[in-house]
Amino acid sequence: MNRKQISIYLPILIAVSVIIGIVLGNSLSKNQTPSLQNLAPAKNNKLSTIIELINQAYVDSVATDELVEKAIPELLKNLDPHTAYIPAREMQKVHEEMQGNFGGIGVQFSIHNDTVQVIDVISGGPSYQLGILPGDRIVTVNDSVIAGVEIKNQDVLTVLRGEKGTKVKIGVKRKSIPDLIEFEITRGDIPIYSVDVSYMIDETTGFVKVDRFAEKTYEEFVEAITKLKSLGAEKIIVDLRGNSGGYLAVVVNMIDEFLAEGKQIVYTEGNSQPRKTYNATKGGIALDREVMVLIDEYSASASEIFAGAIQDNDRGVVVGRRSFGKGLVQEQIPFRDGSALRLTVARYYTPSGRSIQKPYEEGNMDYYHDIMKRAEHGEFQEADSIQFADSLKYETVSGRTVYGGGGIMPDYFVAADTSGYSEYYSKVTQKALVYHFAFQYTDVNREKLKELKTAADFVDYLNQEQILDQFVEYAAKQGVKNDPKGLAASSKIIDTQIKAYIARNIIGEEGFFPIIEEIDETLKEAIRLSRSKKQLSQLLAVTK
């Protein structure tokens, strides 16, 4: 065959070869993998079919378990912002936070100058029993050096926590002792308290700060209220600021202590869940005590149930700023591998019928940036900047107007206080100098400070010590030069924070909160209301 003939027939031969290849390829595919043809997606089962197809026919070996772990969160993003998948590796931490204890050695620590320093030792815990003291430096854990290696908080938690009954060896550096002191500690159950503090603000007003609604919160709360009553509390301020929520059953039990029998607390309802109403029972321990609830933009879920029930029943007043707006109820479904799905199954409604869930149709990113938008719109400074539609109006038991559609709006609005902020304050805050100075001062003066018993003792003593002047010198050595103008604007905030942190380092939260109260405008407003000559019924009438 000459070149001319080749040039004529070659394209034809190539075309025929391609056609034959396609036919053979289809034929071989059908003959070699007949099982794939039997994997036609069943109704509502397309995802499992895709996984099976990948297992049987994908070109490379794939760990489909890992693929599923990555795919589940992406799938759930298309639902509401609070439906979530919890991997097995994270479930332990979730259980610890909500059950109220974990396995550990029983110390509170801080990392300062790249060294783990013991802030406090939990009374009765494993470290306390062995004689570990506040101020000790933990240098080694199981013969590995953890000082001077840029260790992070989570790394320290990882090596110190563990199952109850297991052992850990630590090497401690203590002042006045040249060599390391070695301890072998048997880990025990360390409590996580959700009621941070309870104390008397004055002769008739008690204060209780609740951090979360966990399994043991109700018992802690009842204990705190009982204590305050025994000290003469006629009015109780319940601080739920920053409280992101927790168990529905727990918050229902807590509100039950304030409401008369039969009063509605909350109800839930969902597409597959019929309406379920929770009412107060009889015999609450605080039925005859006036109550004020503090909330802010980070108070969510169970905190909003609490505030909404008190408000809608005209049982007390709510003080602060509009809450987060999470009115969705999740149910946790465990899987065999230890992971779990936290699925939204219903919405909750306050007694007046309002849903406090804020909109989430624009997606998760927009949903969680809502607080930033509130700040930009001036909501943290002026209550009037909040716009509610008439369709979102509801009435309390006495006929007061309240609004749904996005969080609980307080009866008494308190703007975010920015009056004491300055560039100087910003610089010392960015470097956490107040916190570090307070620890260093405590560490050097621990023996003297141990003689002080109350928050007032600390304030008097530290005033004599001219503690603010000492801080300014310390900050200058840390690279923040004295700024007289900035210091004039921020001195009260800084001075108060220093005293509160030092008191906390020695006597705990009962030292911190009574001092920080001086710069807490929301709490001060609640105290002002509690001290006014008006009765609670009159205060509520003012908000109509």
Side-chain angles (χ1 to χ4, degrees):
M1 185 179 292
N2 58 36
R3 284 186 179 178
K4 187 175 181 179
Q5 289 174 315
I6 291 174
S7 64
I8 293 172
Y9 291 109
L10 185 59
I12 297 173
L13 290 171
I14 292 173
V16 171
S17 298
V18 170
I19 292 170
I20 292 172
I22 291 173
V23 172
L24 287 174
N26 286 338
S27 176
L28 288 171
S29 176
K30 290 178 181 178
N31 290 333
Q32 290 179 354
T33 56
S35 60
L36 296 182
Q37 306 306 314
N38 297 326
L39 287 174
K43 186 178 181 181
N44 298 327
N45 201 27
K46 190 179 291 186
L47 288 176
S48 60
T49 301
I50 290 173
I51 297 300
E52 189 62 28
L53 284 167
I54 292 171
N55 269 328
Q56 295 196 25
Y58 187 65
V59 62
D60 295 320
S61 176
V62 175
T64 51
D65 287 346
E66 294 181 11
L67 204 61
V68 169
E69 290 290 306
K70 293 178 181 178
I72 292 175
E74 294 300 316
L75 172 69
L76 300 181
K77 282 181 181 179
N78 295 287
L79 302 177
D80 67 276
H82 298 289
T83 289
Y85 173 68
I86 307 171
R89 64 180 180 276
E90 296 178 13
M91 280 302 297
Q92 181 62 33
K93 182 178 179 181
V94 173
H95 284 312
E96 288 173 354
E97 290 180 353
M98 299 312 293
Q99 290 177 349
N101 63 71
F102 64 91
I105 68 171
V107 298
Q108 295 178 6
F109 67 87
S110 173
I111 299 176
H112 184 58
N113 293 332
D114 211 15
T115 303
V116 179
Q117 304 180 1
V118 177
I119 300 292
D120 195 13
V121 182
I122 296 175
S123 179
S127 295
Y128 178 89
Q129 294 174 5
L130 290 177
I132 294 173
L133 302 173
D136 284 348
R137 274 70 167 163
I138 301 177
V139 178
T140 63
V141 177
N142 290 332
D143 300 322
S144 296
V145 176
I146 64 171
V149 293
E150 298 183 355
I151 196 167
K152 306 298 182 184
N153 276 352
Q154 187 55 50
D155 299 327
V156 179
L157 291 174
T158 299
V159 295
L160 293 184
R161 288 187 178 185
E163 290 185 19
K164 177 183 178 181
T166 59
K167 298 181 184 296
V168 60
K169 291 190 298 182
I170 67 171
V172 166
K173 178 69 177 72
R174 183 174 295 168
K175 283 185 177 181
S176 74
I177 298 178
D179 299 324
L180 289 184
I181 308 172
E182 294 188 349
F183 296 92
E184 183 176 68
I185 307 173
T186 301
R187 296 183 177 98
D189 282 334
I190 308 302
I192 302 176
Y193 295 107
S194 46
V195 172
D196 289 339
V197 69
S198 60
Y199 68 96
M200 293 295 292
I201 288 174
D202 55 34
E203 291 182 357
T204 60
T205 307
F207 174 87
V208 56
K209 169 72 173 169
V210 183
D211 181 62
R212 65 172 70 84
F213 295 88
E215 284 187 8
K216 298 179 182 178
T217 305
Y218 171 65
E219 288 79 7
E220 292 178 41
F221 187 71
V222 168
E223 183 179 346
I225 298 299
T226 302
K227 165 189 158 185
L228 294 176
K229 285 177 61 178
S230 70
L231 294 174
E234 299 172 4
K235 307 160 189 176
I236 297 171
I237 297 173
V238 180
D239 189 352
L240 300 180
R241 289 174 295 173
N243 185 324
S244 61
Y247 291 131
L248 175 62
V250 172
V251 68
V252 166
N253 286 336
M254 290 167 65
I255 299 168
D256 197 3
E257 300 298 338
F258 291 91
L259 296 180
E261 183 179 4
K263 294 289 186 180
Q264 189 177 132
I265 295 172
V266 66
Y267 70 89
T268 63
E269 194 169 15
N271 185 52
S272 300
Q273 299 225 357
R275 175 168 171 164
K276 183 175 182 179
T277 302
Y278 298 83
N279 293 324
T281 58
K282 60 181 179 179
I285 63 171
L287 294 178
D288 57 346
R289 298 307 194 267
E290 295 184 6
V291 59
M292 282 158 281
V293 182
L294 309 187
I295 61 171
D296 65 8
E297 54 275 12
Y298 298 105
S299 303
S301 189
S303 293
E304 296 172 296
I305 293 176
F306 192 107
I310 294 295
Q311 189 177 58
D312 283 7
N313 283 290
D314 294 306
R315 177 61 182 85
V317 292
V318 179
V319 183
R321 292 185 294 279
R322 182 161 65 108
S323 60
F324 184 86
K326 179 186 178 295
L328 300 174
V329 181
Q330 282 75 48
E331 184 174 323
Q332 190 161 296
I333 301 99
F335 297 121
R336 290 180 180 178
D337 66 349
S339 61
L341 172 65
R342 190 169 287 174
L343 184 68
T344 296
V345 296
R347 284 181 169 81
Y348 63 72
Y349 299 83
T350 67
S352 65
R354 53 182 169 150
S355 168
I356 58 176
Q357 175 61 44
K358 63 184 178 182
Y360 53 84
E361 288 77 12
E362 298 300 319
N364 290 3
M365 187 70 71
D366 186 78
Y367 181 81
Y368 285 109
H369 285 172
D370 171 64
I371 290 178
M372 294 176 58
K373 291 181 179 178
R374 293 191 201 181
E376 292 170 359
H377 294 161
E379 181 178 322
F380 296 163
Q381 301 304 319
E382 296 288 343
D384 292 343
S385 68
I386 306 170
Q387 300 297 321
F388 289 106
D390 287 342
S391 62
L392 297 176
K393 282 185 178 181
Y394 295 83
E395 288 189 351
T396 67
V397 170
S398 69
R400 292 189 302 131
T401 297
V402 289
Y403 290 91
I408 298 293
M409 185 65 193
D411 300 307
Y412 289 86
F413 173 83
V414 181
D417 183 21
T418 59
S419 60
Y421 284 72
S422 65
E423 186 175 348
Y424 180 79
Y425 179 74
S426 178
K427 289 178 180 178
V428 300
T429 300
Q430 288 172 4
K431 292 190 173 185
L433 295 186
V434 172
Y435 178 82
H436 290 308
F437 171 77
F439 177 82
Q440 181 173 298
Y441 182 89
T442 303
D443 201 36
V444 172
N445 299 278
R446 192 174 298 277
E447 293 305 314
K448 291 181 182 178
L449 295 173
K450 281 182 179 179
E451 298 174 5
L452 309 177
K453 304 302 180 183
T454 69
D457 291 341
F458 279 88
V459 171
D460 292 340
Y461 177 80
L462 295 173
N463 280 338
Q464 295 174 16
E465 289 287 292
Q466 297 181 320
I467 198 68
L468 183 60
D469 292 339
Q470 294 188 45
F471 171 79
V472 172
E473 292 180 12
Y474 169 83
K477 292 177 183 178
Q478 304 303 316
V480 181
K481 295 181 180 179
N482 184 8
D483 173 6
K485 184 178 179 180
L487 191 60
S490 305
S491 59
K492 183 176 182 179
I493 293 178
I494 295 172
D495 183 57
T496 304
Q497 288 179 341
I498 292 169
K499 294 170 182 173
Y501 282 130
I502 292 173
R504 172 186 272 169
N505 289 339
I506 298 296
I507 62 174
E509 302 298 357
E510 293 198 7
F512 177 84
F513 279 95
I515 296 176
I516 211 71
E517 169 189 314
E518 183 63 28
I519 56 173
D520 186 340
E521 293 303 318
T522 302
L523 178 55
K524 285 167 71 174
E525 172 66 4
I527 294 171
R528 184 190 69 78
L529 292 171
S530 76
R531 290 173 178 170
S532 71
K533 294 181 180 180
K534 298 175 182 177
Q535 296 298 312
L536 181 62
S537 58
Q538 293 175 297
L539 290 173
L540 290 168
V542 171
T543 66
K544 282 187 180 180

